[in-house]
Every structure is written in structure tokens, then in C-alpha cells.
Amino acid sequence: MELWFTEHHNDSIGYSLKVNRTLNSENTQYQKLDVIESEFYGRVLILDGILQTTEKDEFVYHEMIVHVPLFTHKNPKSVLIVGGGDGGAVKEILKHDSVERVVLAEIDDRVVENSKKYLPTISCGLYDEKVEIMIGDGIKYVSEHKNEFDVVIVDSTDPIGPAVGLFTEDFYRSVYECLKEDGIIVAQTESPFIYGSLINKLSKMFKNIYPIVKPYICTIPTYPGHLWTFTMGSKKYDPEAVDVNNIPNIDTKYYTPQLHKASFVLPKFVKEIFEEA
Amino acid sequence: MELWFTEHHNDSIGYSLKVNRTLNSENTQYQKLDVIESEFYGRVLILDGILQTTEKDEFVYHEMIVHVPLFTHKNPKSVLIVGGGDGGAVKEILKHDSVERVVLAEIDDRVVENSKKYLPTISCGLYDEKVEIMIGDGIKYVSEHKNEFDVVIVDSTDPIGPAVGLFTEDFYRSVYECLKEDGIIVAQTESPFIYGSLINKLSKMFKNIYPIVKPYICTIPTYPGHLWTFTMGSKKYDPEAVDVNNIPNIDTKYYTPQLHKASFVLPKFVKEIFEEA
């Protein structure tokens, strides 16, 4: 017997991974959580039936959501992650020597605990003494902390279920207050092949709040649409003005200083989605 | 009843499209050919069970395999396509005013005929008076034509079945002779997430023959691995030295002059695959 995990998009596309075994399945307070061992992509975290991260390709998403904003900021010391309970973003943030404090605001402690247990290569940074794990509502946490973070990373699930509130103008405005005067927000903003209208809507919200708004892209084999966008809102620093010669060498598999700049060069139809916002 | 087309990669990944109806299925002299109407990606051409092109995302592949080499060459007049019977590359080549002659060397006339009948938005250029459709062995055609083309585009299927001979050093050397003294070859060279070792091997072959060898990338939602590579071999022109301000404005959905340059900036692990060659 062969077992396959299949995720459907728009009820018309399926993405399937052959499963060697299921490591855990549980209903948490917030969502259905599964951890599987897939044949090609290694271990996979699945929330409400949607693939969140895999051992084999997590580096693309986590490197790009972290290193682009952190190397855009001149001296990031304090970083807040909203979501990201798997620890992948934390792992990448800890590669930056300037960082003194990382707060992970994850609503579901079972995501953190399952990642610690089943995804050690992704969650390894969660034990670092610079890291504070705050189990609770990220929206509430942001609203209660003003002028405190250099970078806020919104490492959310899709805009359904527990993450809906992370795709609103109220939240992005609250993050603005939570950031220091030269702070930067980055949010994962889905694929233009699947979610074009959402990207347009989010881009409008960012432009209403942040003086510098720039989307950037990467390719994630296990995410729907595969061409993935992040949207950066910045109070002061322009991510494209970074001197790539001054970016220190860190251990990566996807990010390079040259790719930092190239990732802001969008395919024409994606550029139009953002410019129309 | 729901019908789904599923393509498998490495026996461990599945990519599925919901099918509204099958438009044609036949066994040609060379391969099994199917045309389906999918719900999300429109009409789809399938050869030996492998998705070749879809109405909705063909623009990514065809624009990138054509406009990057044609805008690297200063004045492309004659272009040979090996494979590409769907006509998508022809359609893009005809957007270049300098081009006087396009030869399509396609081994399977049924690919051409089915594309004309079922994929009119992709095959529309095949009727143009500049286009010669040569049904036959592209390898033989290349070997019989010396110093004749400005650009040769290898728009092949995967390196199994009829296309195996298009992934060999002998063939790339024969193309070198077929090109004029400032000629350029571009070949589709698969995804580094799936076919890393093949990319490394092909890169070595190119470097043995062409003075300038540069890979570039794009994101194709319906191709396995999704991060797609093309490899360019050039006798004279450096694709990264192109003055993007001199590239004329043409009607595209993916390619832009800025993306032309950015597409040569590779993720670190892809760069390493090529540099190790």
C-alpha cells in the first residue's frame, strides 16, 4: 500500500507527497496538526491539511523571510516573529551577530512542541538564550508593545483559520507602532499565481501605513503557486539601496547578497499587481 | 465524478490538475499525446504522461526561453527551434522585428497539428510567413546546416524518450557549428530541486564548447520543482552585459529588461551546482 498526502488549491490543483509514515496527528486548541515523514521532502509539518514546512525545502522560505529584512536594517538587535512556531525563522535570525533578542509570538504551543520533537533541524534555535517564546495571541502582543522592535516578521499560515487577523490593515498599523523609528516589517504574502487579488489588497494596506513598501520573491517547491511573495514595509531603510558588498558572509543555501537585490525584480504581471495597489 | 490528471516526479511527488474534459488522446509515431481542458490552467498538452504546456502559464517558459537570448544577441535574424512543436516559442520570437526567418525542427507532426487545433493562443505564430516548419529529426537538421543561425533554442521535452539525444555534448557541439560566429544557444535544463545532477552534467558539456556559459532561472507553476533553469552558451555576447535601457518594449507578461538581468542571479545552491561543473 502507498500512502500519499494531498493538498488542494482552488479545488482544482493537487500537490501530493508520498508518505513513509505518520509521526503524529492531533487536534490542538486551534487546528488539526500532523507531522509526516515524506519520501522526497523529509519530515513535513501540516496544519489544517495545509503543508507548512518541510525539512528539505524550508531553507528557501526561512532564509528569504529573515535575511532580506535583517540585512536591510543597519543594526537589528530585537526581532519579533508573529507565528513561525516551527522555529525556522528563529534559526536564521540567530545567524545575525547583531541580534540580542528574538521574541516568538506563536498562538499554538503544540506547533512549538511538535517542531521541537519531530523537526530538530528546523527548530534548533528555539533553545537559544536570546529567544523568548511567547505562547499567545500575536495581535495582542504587538498591540501591547510600542517602539520596541527593529524588525517584525509575520510568519503566518494562509489567510484562513487562526491567521485571518494577521492579514488586516489594523494589524499592520499596530506593527508600525510596535517598531522602532527605523523599523521594518516583512510578511509572507502568498503566490501571485493563486492569490493575485489578495496580494493587491495587502499591498494597498502596506502603502497606507509605511513610507517604503517593496515586495520580493522566491521559488518554494512545496507551496501553492510556487512563485512566492513577501511584502516589506520600512520606515527608513530601502531594501534595494543596501550595499551588497557590505553584507557579511553567512551560512545559507538560497540567500546571497546578489539575490537580495535580484529578489526585488518582479515578473511583469506581479509588478502590475503591486503597482495597481 | 471528478477527473484528475496526475504527473509523478521521482515516484514521490504528485502534481494534479482537475480535468473538465479530454479533448484528444492518441498514440503518435513517437509518443502518447493527450490534450485536456483543466479547470485552473486551461488547456494542457501532455506527452507520454508529462505536462508540456498550459494555456495559463505557458507565457513564463516561452518568454524566458526566447527573449533572454534574442535580446542578448544584437541583431537576431535567423532562429532555429529544436522541438517546440506547440508553437509557443515561435509566438514569442515573432515579437522581435529583426527576425526574418524562424525554423521549427519538430520530430512529431502530431504535436504541431494538435497544437494548431486545440491550443490556438499558443500556436498562433505557426502560420506566419517567416516560419518554416520542418518535421523531422532536429539533430540531423542541425548537423546539415552550418553557420546559418543567430540563435538556436532547444525547446525539448524531458531527457527521456525522443529527446534523449538533445541532452548530449555531441549535439551541443553540432549546434555550435550550426550557429554563426556570434551565435547563441539556449536549452531548457530542468529544475535544480529535482534534477541537480543533470544540470551539473549539462553545464560541464556547455563549458567544454562555448566561451560564455550562463544559466538563468524562472518560476513555472506547472513544471516539476518549479524553479526552472535555462542554460545559455554564447560565442560572443554576454547576456549580463546587455544594456537594459536599450531593450525595446514588447508585449510580455513575465519578461522585463530588468528581469533579464535578475534571472542570472542564482540561489546559492543552484550557483554551486553550476560552478562545480
Side-chain angles (χ1 to χ4, degrees), chain A residues 4 8 11-18 40-41 193 219 221 226-227 252-254 258-259 262 265 267-269, chain B residues 4 8 11-18 40 193 219 221 226-227 252-254 258-259 262 265 267-269:
Chain A
W4 289 77
H8 288 102
D11 298 325
S12 53
I13 304 168
Y15 186 78
S16 307
L17 296 179
K18 191 173 174 184
F40 193 83
Y41 281 105
F193 281 112
T219 308
H226 312 288
L227 177 65
T252 60
K253 286 197 276 187
Y254 195 91
Q258 291 72 34
L259 199 73
V265 181
K268 194 172 184 181
F269 81 104
Chain B
W4 289 77
H8 289 103
D11 299 324
S12 52
I13 305 168
Y15 186 78
S16 308
L17 296 179
K18 191 172 173 186
F40 193 83
F193 281 112
T219 308
H226 313 288
L227 177 66
T252 59
K253 286 196 276 187
Y254 195 91
Q258 291 71 33
L259 198 73
V265 181
K268 193 171 185 184
F269 81 104

Side-chain angles (χ1 to χ4, degrees), chain A residues 215-217 240 261-267, chain B residues 256 258-260 262:
Chain A
Y216 61 98
I217 54 170
E240 293 190 273
K261 287 215 167 172
S263 68
F264 288 90
V265 181
L266 307 177
Chain B
T256 70
Q258 291 71 33
L259 198 73
H260 178 118

Side-chain angles (χ1 to χ4, degrees), chain B residues 33 44-47 51-54 58 61-62 65 81 83-92 104 106 108-127 133 155-157 223:
Chain B
L33 183 154
V44 184
L45 174 67
I46 297 161
L47 298 176
L51 185 153
Q52 300 300 315
T53 196
T54 83
E58 61 85 22
Y61 176 87
H62 291 127
I65 202 170
I81 305 163
D86 55 42
V90 169
K91 164 173 65 72
E92 297 302 319
L104 181 77
E106 165 62 54
D108 192 340
D109 70 319
R110 297 305 301 155
V111 172
V112 174
E113 294 311 314
N114 275 276
S115 299
K116 282 181 170 175
K117 184 167 182 185
Y118 297 109
L119 304 169
T121 60
I122 301 175
S123 61
C124 48
L126 295 174
Y127 305 95
I133 300 176
D155 180 6
S156 70
T157 51
Y223 282 6

Side-chain angles (χ1 to χ4, degrees), chain A residues 13-32:
Chain A
I13 304 168
Y15 186 78
S16 307
L17 296 179
K18 191 173 174 184
V19 177
N20 293 336
R21 59 183 176 136
T22 300
L23 296 163
N24 191 32
S25 290
E26 63 179 89
N27 288 299
T28 77
Q29 188 182 344
Y30 298 97
Q31 50 209 341
K32 177 84 163 60

